[in-house]
Amino acid sequence: EGLSNRAIGGRLGLAEQMAQVERSLLIAALGRQNGRASEAAKALKLPRKTFYDKLAKYGIRAEEFR
């Protein structure tokens, strides 16, 4: 308790690393689908709402990939 999410030595903790990977996967899927969020969600086997929630969480805008 009391420690930041960043591990000692400047390394990222598991949660931060997982978030980075998730964000990268969302961006890659949007790129492959030319910004079509519904298709990107399908490709990642995610419900559309979950996909949109994750985009919002990471501040990603599908329009930027069209």
Side-chain angles (χ1 to χ4, degrees), residues 3-59:
L3 292 176
S4 72
N5 287 340
R6 198 173 286 274
I8 295 164
R11 293 197 190 106
L12 297 178
L14 178 64
E16 287 176 307
Q17 290 181 62
M18 293 294 285
Q20 284 184 346
V21 169
E22 185 173 56
R23 188 174 194 281
S24 296
L25 291 170
L26 295 169
I27 288 169
L30 279 170
R32 283 193 302 274
Q33 302 300 332
N34 300 312
R36 294 190 312 271
S38 291
E39 293 302 313
K42 223 176 272 180
L44 292 174
K45 299 183 180 177
L46 284 174
R48 236 183 38 200
K49 183 187 183 322
T50 302
F51 186 78
Y52 279 109
D53 288 346
K54 289 179 183 296
L55 293 185
K57 173 182 174 181
Y58 295 112

